[in-house]
Amino acid sequence: MNIREIDAPLMKQAFLAGAQGLEAKKEWINELNVFPVPDGDTGTNMTMTIMAAAREVAALEDPTMETLARAISSGSLRGARGNSGVILSQLFRGFTKEIKTQKTVDVPTLSRAFVRGTETAYKAVMKPKEGTILTVAKGMADKAVEMADKTGDVEEFAREVIAHGDLVLSQTPEMLPVLKQAGVVDSGGQGLMQVMKGAMEGLLGKAVDWSEAGRMAGEPSGETTKDMGSRAMPDSVDVSELDTSDIRYGYCTEFIINIEKEYDEETEQEFKAYLESIGDSLVVVSDEDVVKVHVHTNDPGLAIQRALGYGSLSRMKIDNMREEHQERLIQNSEKLAKEQKAAARAKEKTAGGEAAPGKNQEPRKPYGFIAVSIGDGMGEIFRGIGADYLIEGGQTMNPSTEDMLNAVDQVNADQVFILPNNKNIILAAEQAKYLVEDKEIIVVPSKTVPQGITALINFIPELSAEENLKAMTEEMGRIKTGQVTYAVRSTQIDGMEIHQGDIMGIGDQGMLAVGSSIEGTAIDTLKAMVDEDSELVSIYYGSDVKPEEAERVFAMAQEACPECEVELHDGGQPIYYYLMSAE
């Protein structure tokens, strides 16, 4: 078969087959997780990300390349779960930007799309690490550039690119020692290769039955693009950071550029760099042929003049923040008083990602909090220290970007702090931040539940969002966390031999203890965490632990850590027998 061009219907078929190829292997990909913990991670996250896009793609009856690109990009962006899912969505975002203006796609266009997708994904990750899905994507992009000079046959091009992707994937253990030690390749890279191989089959004519699209992803079937809802590009950016007397740049400047001249990624980066040189609090969001700009500056005219070089402007808005400062302080103090009255009411239990009844109908307040929680007990703890909304999730199910957006909708506040409480959820929260229209979102980079609890406890209403974020992050850095669970497979990590069914104690940086006893391993884990500076130990027992068993561990902990104050809490979390922190 000699394929010189791909039209929109064939591209749709290839994408859906790629989604199906990933879904079919998601459990196998989960098994590649370095830590043999019983959670649904890379395979599940990537599958749910691509399935969110696949539902939108499947709903297109007569697709054009433009509508197809929009469905893939928008659907994967909203459905992104976990780091691997967010990176996958960014690969799609860059890829579709390159193909959306084409009626058909040939090898040169595919080559450019691979490169653009990889560049977009690398930019989305603050500290890219080689030996991951990013490395595999880059390897395929490099091969795509090479093949564009050798052939015009799409099938030959795809086979060579996929073969090279497999080669790079096989080398990932040499790039990340932890992969080599565990005897596995990178799970995210493997997931990407399953997408590629599935897409190849679709390209060659494999039929895809999409009648069960929803159930394939483990979600309710029958959900359409309409059901998913839609969010426009941000129309305004909240300026509640005005609650500080030290305003460096006085004018909050916002406008939309209707692009009329060339505006590529290089141009966008140059524009951002210029705006950063004349101000701060910069947000530049590009979507189709418009660019939304928000910047704090002392000379709005400079920003406007530069923007006019790219096209006409609309929805221009300039606010003098210094004049508004005193008024805002008064308003916020009134809101704080109302909030304190509301907090005195009986607290409503929240589970499964539901706010207390009427929460989003309460008067708007200066700030609110969203926490990702695991278990009823943990939910009660978060609610008790000020969380407005809980997203049920964590290790067993990473919430999506759409879950974050829905939660933000339920918190009626100017500034909303999100506590992901899991390193694999932070990127999804960051991605949601740029899709919110009327609130300022602050993502606190909490990687564990104990870190999230500490961060929320240390919030100070009198400080600005930036000051609170800095203080909360610093306090989290003083927390050591341990998690006790069981091994779902045999492996070797950090010099420890682990057998299926063993009890493991996992710390912030790696494995702390392995044993056959839950209680013994919990104490061994705690001993590995506590040092001479530790003063407080908190133990949260899970849903599979009986209260009397937890009391025994509590007594053993007091004996093992005589210099520390030890607290015991009913966390109710699944999967993990104990979560522990030392500070």
Side-chain angles (χ1 to χ4, degrees):
M1 181 183 294
N2 190 303
I3 305 173
R4 310 301 293 188
E5 294 182 330
I6 306 173
D7 59 14
L10 184 55
M11 184 68 79
K12 172 184 175 180
Q13 180 173 303
F15 180 79
L16 294 182
Q20 192 177 61
L22 175 59
E23 196 279 336
K25 297 290 187 179
K26 68 178 180 181
E27 294 302 333
W28 174 56
I29 294 168
N30 282 341
E31 288 293 319
L32 295 177
N33 185 37
V34 170
F35 282 99
V37 294
D39 60 7
D41 50 89
T42 305
T44 300
N45 288 334
M46 294 183 72
T47 296
M48 298 191 78
T49 298
I50 199 171
M51 287 299 180
R55 282 193 296 273
E56 295 201 21
V57 169
L60 298 174
E61 295 183 0
D62 187 19
T64 63
M65 206 65 76
E66 182 179 5
T67 59
L68 181 62
R70 186 181 303 117
I72 293 172
S73 180
S74 174
S76 61
L77 180 72
R78 300 177 193 287
R81 295 175 185 265
N83 291 353
S84 54
V86 171
I87 292 172
L88 182 64
S89 74
Q90 293 301 309
L91 288 170
F92 288 148
R93 179 169 176 255
F95 186 94
T96 55
K97 278 186 176 181
E98 195 65 40
I99 69 170
K100 67 180 181 180
T101 59
Q102 309 296 316
K103 288 187 177 181
T104 60
V105 174
D106 56 11
V107 165
T109 304
L110 283 173
S111 175
R112 294 193 302 273
F114 269 85
V115 171
R116 192 164 184 177
T118 300
E119 291 174 347
T120 302
Y122 266 89
K123 289 176 183 177
V125 180
M126 291 298 292
K127 295 180 180 179
K129 183 181 294 186
E130 297 305 328
T132 66
I133 181 176
L134 290 171
T135 308
V136 176
K138 186 176 185 300
M140 287 193 287
D142 291 343
K143 189 66 175 181
V145 172
E146 176 187 328
M147 290 304 299
D149 294 329
K150 294 182 177 180
T151 183
D153 182 4
V154 173
E155 180 181 353
E156 180 184 357
F157 168 87
R159 289 193 186 282
E160 290 294 325
V161 168
I162 290 173
H164 190 70
D166 277 336
L167 175 61
V168 175
L169 177 64
S170 71
Q171 296 172 343
T172 55
E174 302 302 321
M175 304 176 202
L176 279 179
V178 68
L179 295 176
K180 189 172 185 178
Q181 190 177 32
V184 295
V185 296
D186 178 67
S187 54
Q190 186 67 74
L192 179 60
M193 294 313 303
Q194 292 307 126
V195 174
M196 292 295 299
K197 292 172 183 178
M200 181 71 177
E201 292 182 345
L203 194 65
L204 298 179
K206 176 183 176 181
V208 179
D209 179 6
W210 209 246
S211 61
E212 300 296 312
R215 280 186 282 273
M216 288 175 68
E219 298 181 357
S221 62
E223 184 174 75
T224 64
T225 305
K226 181 179 180 181
D227 297 324
M228 294 289 287
S230 61
R231 290 178 181 270
M233 185 176 60
D235 182 52
S236 65
V237 179
D238 189 70
V239 292
S240 49
E241 67 272 17
L242 295 178
D243 296 337
T244 171
S245 58
D246 182 17
I247 300 176
R248 182 181 178 189
Y249 296 103
Y251 296 94
C252 175
T253 306
E254 298 181 69
F255 50 82
I256 287 178
I257 309 174
N258 302 296
I259 297 299
E260 296 168 356
K261 299 179 181 179
E262 182 178 355
Y263 187 88
D264 54 19
E265 288 194 14
E266 182 178 352
T267 305
E268 180 175 339
Q269 292 306 313
E270 292 175 353
F271 183 40
K272 286 181 178 179
Y274 176 76
L275 294 176
E276 287 176 343
S277 73
I278 64 169
D280 63 7
S281 297
L282 177 64
V283 178
V284 178
V285 182
S286 304
D287 185 24
E288 302 298 330
D289 296 324
V290 296
V291 178
K292 172 67 183 180
V293 177
H294 166 272
V295 64
H296 293 177
T297 179
N298 287 327
D299 195 336
L302 292 176
I304 291 170
Q305 183 177 1
R306 187 61 169 259
L308 284 170
Y310 307 120
S312 60
L313 307 185
S314 61
R315 299 190 186 182
M316 300 175 66
K317 178 172 171 283
I318 301 174
D319 294 317
N320 186 325
M321 296 189 292
R322 293 187 177 97
E323 287 184 357
E324 293 179 347
H325 176 60
Q326 291 300 322
E327 181 182 349
R328 291 296 296 272
L329 286 179
I330 294 172
Q331 291 174 346
N332 282 348
S333 64
E334 292 174 348
K335 291 176 183 176
L336 180 58
K338 292 179 181 178
E339 182 201 49
Q340 290 171 339
K341 289 181 181 179
R345 302 170 187 168
K347 297 183 182 297
E348 295 286 340
K349 178 180 177 182
T350 297
E354 295 180 356
K359 177 67 70 176
N360 61 338
Q361 276 77 47
E362 292 180 0
R364 194 172 181 92
K365 56 185 183 177
Y367 49 80
F369 303 94
I370 295 170
V372 178
S373 181
I374 48 173
D376 292 343
M378 286 297 186
E380 288 298 321
I381 291 170
F382 274 116
R383 179 68 67 187
I385 58 177
D388 296 278
Y389 191 95
L390 303 181
I391 300 176
E392 191 71 21
Q395 288 297 82
T396 53
M397 179 58 69
N398 293 158
S400 67
T401 299
E402 187 74 17
D403 291 333
M404 300 287 180
L405 294 172
N406 291 336
V408 170
D409 283 343
Q410 295 297 317
V411 179
N412 194 15
D414 293 329
Q415 296 174 331
V416 179
F417 289 78
I418 299 179
L419 301 158
N421 302 329
N422 187 301
K423 66 180 180 180
N424 209 32
I425 300 174
I426 294 174
L427 271 182
E430 288 284 356
Q431 190 156 267
K433 177 170 68 175
Y434 298 106
L435 298 176
V436 175
E437 302 176 10
D438 61 341
K439 303 168 186 175
E440 180 187 9
I441 306 302
I442 301 97
V443 178
V444 181
S446 53
K447 297 180 180 179
T448 65
V449 167
Q451 283 187 356
I453 291 173
T454 296
L456 191 48
I457 289 174
N458 283 278
F459 177 82
I460 301 174
E462 291 76 20
L463 297 182
S464 68
E466 292 81 3
E467 291 169 331
N468 264 305
L469 177 60
K470 180 180 179 181
M472 294 162 85
T473 303
E474 287 178 351
E475 289 300 323
M476 289 190 315
R478 299 186 174 96
I479 298 292
K480 294 181 180 179
T481 303
Q483 305 173 94
V484 180
T485 187
Y486 59 94
V488 296
R489 59 181 170 82
S490 299
T491 186
Q492 185 177 17
I493 297 177
D494 297 334
M496 297 184 182
E497 193 74 29
I498 301 170
H499 300 94
Q500 183 176 349
D502 280 351
I503 307 302
M504 306 179 297
I506 305 171
D508 296 319
Q509 304 300 325
M511 201 67 63
L512 297 179
V514 177
S516 57
S517 162
I518 295 175
E519 295 177 4
T521 305
I523 297 303
D524 288 343
T525 301
L526 185 59
K527 289 179 179 178
M529 294 165 50
V530 172
D531 58 28
E532 60 184 12
D533 296 324
S534 300
E535 298 176 353
L536 174 64
V537 169
S538 299
I539 301 174
Y540 306 88
Y541 64 92
S543 58
D544 293 326
V545 176
K546 297 177 181 179
E548 56 269 27
E549 295 170 338
E551 289 290 346
R552 283 200 300 270
V553 168
F554 174 59
M556 294 166 68
Q558 288 179 312
E559 182 178 349
C561 308
E563 302 299 321
C564 298
E565 178 184 351
V566 182
E567 297 179 348
L568 180 67
H569 305 277
D570 179 5
Q573 70 273 4
I575 305 300
Y576 290 86
Y577 300 115
Y578 292 98
L579 295 180
M580 300 180 291
S581 65
E583 55 185 296

